[in-house]
Amino acid sequence: MPLKIALAQVNLLVGGIRENLNKIVDTARHARDTLAADMIVFPELAVTAYPPEDLLLRPDFIAEADRAVDEIVARTVGIDVVLGFPEQGQGQLWNSAVVLRDGKRHVVYRKHVLPNYGVFDEQRYFSAGSQECVFQAKGVRVGLSICEDVWTPGVVEDSRREGAEIMLNLNASPFHAGKIHQREEVVRQRIEATGIPVVYVNQVGGQDELVFDGASFVMDGEGQIVYRAEEFEEQLGIVTFHGDRPEQAAIAPLYQEIVSDYKALVLGIRDYAVKNGFNGALLGLSGGIDSALVLALAVDALGADQVRAVLMPSRYTRDMSVQDAIKEAEALAVKYHVIPIEPAVRAFEEMLREVFAGTRKDATEENIQARCRGIVLMAMSNKQGSLLLTTGNKSEMSVGYATLYGDMAGGFAPIKDVPKLLVYKLARYRNSIAGVIPERVITRPPSAELAPEQKDSDSLPPYEILDPILERYVELDQSADQIVAAGFDREVVHRTISLVDRNEYKRRQSPPGIRITPRAFGRDRRYPITSGYRGTG
Amino acid sequence: MPLKIALAQVNLLVGGIRENLNKIVDTARHARDTLAADMIVFPELAVTAYPPEDLLLRPDFIAEADRAVDEIVARTVGIDVVLGFPEQGQGQLWNSAVVLRDGKRHVVYRKHVLPNYGVFDEQRYFSAGSQECVFQAKGVRVGLSICEDVWTPGVVEDSRREGAEIMLNLNASPFHAGKIHQREEVVRQRIEATGIPVVYVNQVGGQDELVFDGASFVMDGEGQIVYRAEEFEEQLGIVTFHGDRPEQAAIAPLYQEIVSDYKALVLGIRDYAVKNGFNGALLGLSGGIDSALVLALAVDALGADQVRAVLMPSRYTRDMSVQDAIKEAEALAVKYHVIPIEPAVRAFEEMLREVFAGTRKDATEENIQARCRGIVLMAMSNKQGSLLLTTGNKSEMSVGYATLYGDMAGGFAPIKDVPKLLVYKLARYRNSIAGVIPERVITRPPSAELAPEQKDSDSLPPYEILDPILERYVELDQSADQIVAAGFDREVVHRTISLVDRNEYKRRQSPPGIRITPRAFGRDRRYPITSGYRGTG
């Protein structure tokens, strides 16, 4: 008697308990009625979506989630529904998985391993469980586990000892480059030790700084993938088990890393805009590579008719920048406006003439230009209810090569975690599908165009040197000495690190953006602003 | 043979290992040579100061802290030095206290109870210790504990069983209103159960959003305070023990709550400006109560010659606002500038005329005014290297009654955690010392003056109603129904909650400010921006 297990890779809404409940019920009924599934597995904390953060501290929120489980129980008779929810009892909260069967909560499993590193704060909310949970389904013994539980041997091996023949693993595992290989490798290790197949179900969708990539899968007792859902899409998969042997099913191929990165950014933008109810998006288009990429991403996420571009030339903007920006907008069929900022810049110069008398021009005057653009864009965003996208990349955010309240003004920063060299790669990848970014934009030396003949390389080392130093310092926690030992110039390393350290205050006020590396700025990297630490030793 | 214990209530610099080391050595030598102390106790993690946040993930940082302990050992022979440091070993990190004696690390205690709630993330970094540590000092058995360890019975009671006659408790306990009473009460409970005195040493000083108030104390075996250090000041206290009996020493009285709040704000501003190396501070002075209070706080923190005020009237600014602002600046002997924003506002109106054709005036036009002021202030901050203080209060931050990149632009937000009604109380308190805020500023109805005849009460409920609703919702996690049941109008409650929920995106980009309530915005309240949760049920 085969056991048909559906994998519900769904895009849920954090905090949207009512919306999630309805989607869970509809999906479960569809799996039951159309796919003849015996069981459907939803992601970790599906009722609240992940991560609900401090909503978990609200008693009314927890109570509402609990009532939602009751309602799902009542509305999904005829199929086993396995889903995650925050379970309260004895003054504690657990990150739990429940099996709903025949109108009742059949069994409950409480997550053992609570990640409290990186972007995760689970020990802020949850107590750890300590009991395995193995239940029968059509004569097969099925074990439960949640996300981090499979990253160490404990739960899977203990469940095996308790007789589990199949392990379910409910996830909310966010994307970063290479993560999917890590996940499959870790699950393969568990299977090598136990010989039982694993059904891995992940959430999909964007949530503030995180993108959940889905890529749910089933791995058989030999560690072979027999099913894989497409990445970055909602998918309802189904795998038929004969005892502990899964039948072969559809296996979506894994994308190349550059494709995954691009799709993560598109999904992150789309979900931020849509889930927050924005009326389209807009951005400042400078003729540079960063805004060109963000424009393409925004159009791919929302559609050309939902995106507006604004060109805001100043006295330092070169003609070719304007020409290229117009070409980009036209190539993507995006409506654009040209609003020169000179009148506002001149007004501020005049207003500040007296207090600035006797001082020399410095970054202040450059910042005024960037901030005038910020005002124009925010005014359009306010008036239209559209989402202002910023265009700063991770290299700039790292060293503070950006103007607070200027080009950093906006609701969402799509490429905030994309280093400059990867910006170029993503631009070339996008052009390989259709040429939407003029070649000149990719090849000309990058410039902020806030001063005459300005180039990024006046202030910063070349990105070929800067980016690897930043990766070592920010993502890998290497010391200055280690980076120098790896072959980088000491003076450049020290200057770079010093810029990173000094610019934490800017990053703290930056809009959220999409994490695609193993360590983004934001919840992922919690540095003090006030700090006597000098990474340069 | 008496045991003289010095309590080192010091102001340290997070991450400033070299600076902290020198201060620790100097203070220990002073206690040894001038006060004839046998032992000196420093706060939790004194070597790195608290909280070092993700600096703790850097191997080079941990190694440097460890070398600093070695150097302190070598330079403080002749006195027992007890201090906190991050201790690494076996691939783990502990929040430890070490006793340095005779050029050696005599004993080490590892913190048992690691707070991971509110502003605390200790389980992100540290493993928990499980061993008590009792050592001999001049014939007396002394037990070690760190901060949270005394908030539950475990460590003190277990140390008592191991023979401890005196408990040391090393702290980094941040201020909020009423906290000091909680601390003394909790320690009294431990003493009631064990009968042994406690030496409680706390850090003092501002660190980003936190202020550590010090208020170190010694409580004898009967639960009586025999020594208390002054709040919000560096203090080196000394208490002589005969066996487990402390001699009576100086007891600084506790301040009234309003005084503590005021002093916390002053210290928070001073330390943020000084530790970050700013060249003074500046702020926009509107003639309203919020900026009047911030001006007084800034002057008390930094001195009148270190503060500049900028008046930026618009077409909607009433004459009396300008008059009152000038009175405030003059009363505090602060230099001020008057820079009307009309030219910039008009420039933007002109630039946006075409894209805004056919639209109606709304908050967009108000925001443009606020953002023009933001540009002026940021330009002056950039040019002079001075810290721009924002003047928004907690009530406004809660409901989003503020302009992102406008009046929210700045490096530090001193009264971000001060509800409006408390703003009034603090203003009256400051005037009770010397009348620096004109009475009319306190009594006239508050207005943002961004539209003709505008008053806060056009958009918001009266603060007498708004503030208690906000406290219940934000600080106490009450549901809409609970707040209504407490006697508030349902429609007002729903509207207020909805504003709080919808404005998380603004708060996420706000500058840091000083926490003075049990729950501030910032690290203390981690809400998703994208959220389907409706607190209104």
Side-chain angles (χ1 to χ4, degrees):
Chain A
M1 201 169 55
L3 172 66
K4 296 182 80 167
I5 301 180
L7 293 84
Q9 177 170 304
V10 280
N11 191 338
L12 302 165
L13 175 62
V14 162
I17 293 174
R18 172 57 48 186
E19 296 87 334
N20 297 339
L21 177 165
N22 286 329
K23 181 173 270 190
I24 289 166
V25 168
D26 290 348
T27 309
R29 288 175 170 179
H30 178 76
R32 180 192 65 193
D33 300 339
T34 310
L35 305 178
D38 302 297
M39 177 187 297
I40 182 165
V41 186
F42 288 90
E44 178 177 14
L45 288 185
V47 171
T48 61
Y50 194 95
E53 303 192 74
D54 279 7
L55 290 173
L56 290 168
L57 303 179
R58 302 198 70 86
D60 55 329
F61 184 75
I62 300 300
E64 191 184 335
D66 198 68
R67 287 193 301 272
V69 173
D70 284 339
E71 189 171 336
I72 297 167
V73 169
R75 292 171 59 189
T76 57
V77 174
I79 183 169
D80 284 2
V81 175
V82 186
L83 56 77
F85 78 112
E87 183 200 2
Q88 192 163 45
Q90 305 152 38
Q92 291 180 288
L93 195 66
W94 296 279
N95 182 342
S96 293
V98 62
V99 179
L100 310 179
R101 176 183 288 176
D102 298 333
K104 286 202 285 288
R105 300 186 191 199
H106 182 61
V107 290
V108 172
Y109 167 82
R110 294 169 179 165
K111 187 176 184 178
H112 289 201
V113 187
L114 300 171
N116 205 66
Y117 58 83
V119 298
F120 302 109
D121 280 316
E122 292 199 16
Q123 292 170 32
R124 182 175 172 89
Y125 311 108
F126 298 114
S127 300
S130 55
Q131 287 287 313
E132 278 66 45
C133 178
V134 179
F135 66 101
Q136 291 265 354
K138 294 185 88 178
V140 183
R141 281 163 300 188
V142 180
L144 287 169
S145 64
I146 301 177
C147 207
E148 198 84 357
D149 284 335
V150 301
W151 288 71
T152 46
V155 176
V156 181
E157 298 195 1
D158 292 346
S159 299
R160 178 77 195 98
R161 271 191 286 277
E162 308 246 327
E165 297 164 283
I166 299 174
M167 280 306 287
L168 306 182
N169 186 233
L170 285 64
N171 290 271
S173 178
F175 170 80
H176 64 68
K179 181 80 168 284
I180 190 167
H181 299 286
Q182 279 180 37
R183 284 185 207 129
E184 294 190 356
E185 182 50 35
V186 155
V187 169
R188 192 167 285 116
Q189 288 171 19
R190 296 293 86 73
I191 290 174
E192 276 169 13
T194 60
I196 56 173
V198 172
V199 176
Y200 182 106
V201 178
N202 195 17
Q203 175 174 302
V204 69
Q207 170 59 29
D208 289 352
E209 306 214 305
L210 302 180
V211 169
F212 297 87
D213 51 335
S216 303
F217 62 89
V218 175
M219 204 177 270
D220 70 14
E222 277 85 47
Q224 298 296 314
I225 295 279
V226 297
Y227 166 79
R228 189 190 294 120
E230 208 170 316
E231 297 170 74
F232 304 107
E233 299 286 344
E234 287 201 298
Q235 295 259 290
L236 180 60
I238 188 145
V239 173
T240 302
F241 281 81
H242 302 274
D244 63 359
R245 306 213 139 261
E247 277 181 21
Q248 187 73 34
I251 302 180
L254 295 178
Y255 293 117
Q256 281 186 290
E257 196 164 297
I258 192 75
V259 183
S260 288
D261 285 346
Y262 195 89
K263 285 181 180 284
L265 296 172
V266 168
L267 180 55
I269 294 170
R270 182 187 304 137
D271 275 7
Y272 192 86
V274 172
K275 291 180 177 179
N276 283 296
F278 281 101
N279 183 18
L282 86 160
L283 74 163
L285 201 62
S286 71
I289 182 77
D290 296 315
S291 60
L293 175 62
V294 174
L295 181 70
L297 289 165
V299 168
D300 290 345
L302 305 171
D305 61 325
Q306 290 297 301
V307 180
R308 290 220 274 180
V310 188
L311 283 65
M312 293 166 290
S314 76
R315 64 190 83 158
Y316 304 119
T317 305
R318 298 178 63 177
D319 289 344
M320 74 167 158
S321 299
V322 176
Q323 291 158 11
D324 289 346
I326 290 175
K327 263 191 220 164
E328 292 157 15
E330 288 176 347
L332 288 161
V334 164
K335 189 171 171 191
Y336 67 89
H337 307 271
V338 182
I339 303 180
I341 57 167
E342 200 60 27
V345 173
R346 231 177 293 123
F348 284 110
E349 282 175 351
E350 201 52 51
M351 288 157 62
L352 291 162
R353 187 177 305 280
E354 198 175 317
V355 288
F356 284 1
T359 66
R360 283 199 304 193
K361 283 209 175 188
D362 56 18
T364 305
E365 284 73 15
E366 302 185 16
N367 287 336
I368 287 174
Q369 297 168 56
R371 289 183 181 128
C372 285
R373 294 193 176 107
I375 287 190
V376 169
L377 291 168
M378 283 303 296
M380 293 180 66
S381 164
N382 289 163
K383 192 62 95 182
Q384 296 148 7
S386 55
L387 172 62
L388 174 55
L389 300 172
T390 68
T391 61
N393 60 59
K394 188 176 195 176
S395 311
E396 293 172 353
M397 285 302 103
S398 299
V399 296
Y401 197 69
T403 299
L404 201 53
Y405 324 131
D407 53 309
M408 288 176 68
F412 201 58
I415 60 169
K416 179 184 181 184
D417 196 37
V418 182
K420 186 81 173 187
L421 296 181
L422 185 53
V423 169
Y424 285 107
K425 282 189 203 152
L426 287 165
R428 290 209 178 278
Y429 163 70
R430 183 61 182 80
N431 272 358
S432 76
I433 299 169
V436 296
I437 301 173
E439 184 63 19
R440 185 167 66 179
V441 173
I442 300 179
T443 52
R444 65 185 275 213
S447 165
E449 295 194 329
L450 293 169
E453 301 298 318
Q454 189 177 39
K455 291 201 297 294
D456 289 12
S457 55
D458 302 339
S459 313
L460 302 175
Y463 289 108
E464 289 74 16
I465 291 172
L466 181 64
D467 277 3
I469 294 176
L470 291 173
E471 185 187 8
R472 287 168 185 272
Y473 187 68
V474 174
E475 292 176 33
L476 303 176
D477 287 329
Q478 290 189 3
S479 68
D481 288 346
Q482 282 176 296
I483 301 172
V484 171
F488 294 89
D489 179 76
R490 181 171 298 275
E491 193 276 325
V492 172
V493 169
H494 282 203
R495 187 156 54 92
T496 302
I497 287 180
S498 167
L499 286 170
V500 175
D501 292 348
R502 287 206 316 256
N503 282 288
E504 179 58 27
Y505 77 99
K506 279 193 195 175
R507 290 188 291 269
R508 198 69 74 86
Q509 292 191 43
S510 68
I514 303 157
R515 175 177 183 256
I516 63 159
T517 71
R519 184 180 289 157
F521 297 114
R523 291 275 197 273
D524 213 0
R525 186 178 190 268
R526 305 178 189 176
Y527 267 58
I529 297 175
T530 306
S531 171
Y533 171 69
R534 296 292 164 260
T536 49
Chain B
M1 201 168 56
L3 172 67
K4 296 183 80 168
I5 301 180
L7 293 83
Q9 177 171 303
V10 280
N11 190 340
L12 302 164
L13 175 63
V14 162
I17 293 174
R18 171 58 46 188
E19 295 88 334
N20 297 340
L21 177 165
N22 286 330
K23 180 173 272 190
I24 289 166
V25 168
D26 291 348
T27 309
R29 287 175 171 179
H30 178 77
R32 178 192 67 192
D33 300 339
T34 310
L35 304 179
D38 302 298
M39 178 187 297
I40 182 165
V41 185
F42 288 91
E44 178 177 14
L45 288 184
V47 171
T48 62
Y50 193 94
E53 302 191 75
D54 279 8
L55 290 173
L56 290 168
L57 303 179
R58 303 197 70 86
D60 55 329
F61 183 74
I62 300 299
E64 191 183 334
D66 198 69
R67 287 194 301 272
V69 173
D70 283 339
E71 190 172 334
I72 297 168
V73 170
R75 292 170 61 188
T76 57
V77 174
I79 182 169
D80 284 1
V81 175
V82 186
L83 56 77
F85 78 113
E87 182 200 2
Q88 192 164 43
Q90 305 151 39
Q92 291 180 287
L93 194 66
W94 296 279
N95 182 343
S96 293
V98 62
V99 179
L100 310 179
R101 176 182 288 176
D102 298 334
K104 285 202 287 286
R105 299 186 191 200
H106 182 60
V107 290
V108 172
Y109 167 81
R110 294 168 179 165
K111 187 176 185 178
H112 290 202
V113 186
L114 301 171
N116 206 65
Y117 58 82
V119 298
F120 301 107
D121 280 316
E122 291 200 15
Q123 293 170 31
R124 183 174 170 89
Y125 311 108
F126 297 115
S127 300
S130 55
Q131 286 288 312
E132 278 65 45
C133 178
V134 179
F135 66 100
Q136 291 265 355
K138 295 186 88 178
V140 183
R141 279 163 301 188
V142 180
L144 287 170
S145 65
I146 301 176
C147 208
E148 198 84 357
D149 284 335
V150 301
W151 289 71
T152 46
V155 176
V156 181
E157 298 195 0
D158 292 346
S159 299
R160 178 78 195 95
R161 272 191 286 277
E162 307 245 328
E165 297 164 283
I166 300 173
M167 281 305 288
L168 306 183
N169 186 233
L170 286 65
N171 289 271
S173 177
F175 170 79
H176 63 69
K179 182 80 168 283
I180 191 168
H181 299 285
Q182 280 180 35
R183 284 186 207 130
E184 294 190 358
E185 183 48 35
V186 155
V187 168
R188 192 167 285 116
Q189 288 171 18
R190 296 293 87 74
I191 290 173
E192 277 169 12
T194 60
I196 56 173
V198 172
V199 176
Y200 182 106
V201 178
N202 194 17
Q203 175 175 303
V204 70
Q207 169 60 28
D208 289 351
E209 306 215 306
L210 302 180
V211 168
F212 297 86
D213 51 335
S216 303
F217 62 89
V218 175
M219 204 177 268
D220 71 14
E222 278 84 47
Q224 297 297 314
I225 295 279
V226 297
Y227 167 78
R228 188 190 295 120
E230 207 170 317
E231 296 171 76
F232 305 108
E233 299 286 343
E234 287 200 300
Q235 295 259 289
L236 181 60
I238 188 146
V239 172
T240 302
F241 281 82
H242 302 273
D244 64 359
R245 306 212 140 262
E247 279 180 19
Q248 188 73 35
I251 301 179
L254 294 178
Y255 293 118
Q256 282 187 287
E257 198 164 295
I258 193 75
V259 183
S260 288
D261 285 346
Y262 196 90
K263 284 181 180 282
L265 296 171
V266 168
L267 180 56
I269 294 171
R270 182 187 302 137
D271 275 7
Y272 192 87
V274 171
K275 291 180 177 179
N276 284 295
F278 281 100
N279 183 19
L282 86 160
L283 75 162
L285 201 61
S286 70
I289 182 77
D290 297 314
S291 60
L293 175 63
V294 173
L295 181 70
L297 288 164
V299 167
D300 291 344
L302 305 171
D305 61 325
Q306 290 296 302
V307 180
R308 289 220 275 179
V310 189
L311 283 66
M312 293 167 290
S314 77
R315 64 191 84 159
Y316 304 120
T317 305
R318 298 179 63 179
D319 289 344
M320 74 168 158
S321 299
V322 176
Q323 291 157 11
D324 288 345
I326 290 174
K327 263 192 220 164
E328 291 157 16
E330 287 175 346
L332 289 161
V334 164
K335 190 171 170 192
Y336 67 90
H337 307 272
V338 182
I339 302 180
I341 57 167
E342 202 58 27
V345 173
R346 231 178 292 123
F348 284 111
E349 282 175 351
E350 201 51 51
M351 288 157 63
L352 290 161
R353 187 176 305 279
E354 199 175 317
V355 288
F356 284 1
T359 66
R360 283 199 303 192
K361 283 209 175 189
D362 56 17
T364 305
E365 284 74 16
E366 301 185 17
N367 288 336
I368 288 174
Q369 297 167 55
R371 290 184 179 127
C372 285
R373 293 193 176 107
I375 288 191
V376 169
L377 291 167
M378 283 303 295
M380 293 180 66
S381 164
N382 288 164
K383 192 62 96 182
Q384 296 148 7
S386 55
L387 172 61
L388 174 56
L389 300 173
T390 68
T391 61
N393 60 59
K394 188 175 195 176
S395 311
E396 294 172 355
M397 287 301 102
S398 299
V399 295
Y401 196 70
T403 299
L404 201 52
Y405 323 132
D407 53 310
M408 287 177 67
F412 201 58
I415 60 170
K416 179 184 182 184
D417 196 38
V418 182
K420 187 80 173 188
L421 296 181
L422 185 53
V423 169
Y424 285 107
K425 282 191 203 153
L426 287 164
R428 291 211 177 276
Y429 162 70
R430 183 62 182 78
N431 272 358
S432 75
I433 300 169
V436 295
I437 301 173
E439 184 62 20
R440 184 167 66 180
V441 173
I442 301 180
T443 52
R444 66 185 274 214
S447 165
E449 295 194 330
L450 294 169
E453 303 298 318
Q454 189 177 40
K455 290 202 297 292
D456 290 12
S457 54
D458 302 339
S459 313
L460 302 175
Y463 290 108
E464 289 73 16
I465 291 172
L466 182 63
D467 278 3
I469 294 176
L470 292 173
E471 185 186 8
R472 287 168 185 271
Y473 186 68
V474 173
E475 293 176 33
L476 303 176
D477 287 329
Q478 291 188 2
S479 69
D481 287 346
Q482 283 176 295
I483 301 172
V484 171
F488 294 89
D489 178 76
R490 182 171 298 274
E491 193 277 323
V492 172
V493 169
H494 282 203
R495 188 156 53 93
T496 302
I497 288 180
S498 168
L499 287 170
V500 174
D501 292 348
R502 287 206 316 257
N503 282 289
E504 180 59 26
Y505 77 99
K506 279 193 195 176
R507 290 188 291 268
R508 198 69 74 85
Q509 292 191 42
S510 68
I514 303 157
R515 174 178 183 256
I516 63 159
T517 72
R519 184 180 288 157
F521 297 115
R523 290 277 198 272
D524 213 0
R525 186 179 190 267
R526 305 178 189 177
Y527 268 57
I529 297 175
T530 306
S531 171
Y533 171 70
R534 297 291 164 262
T536 48

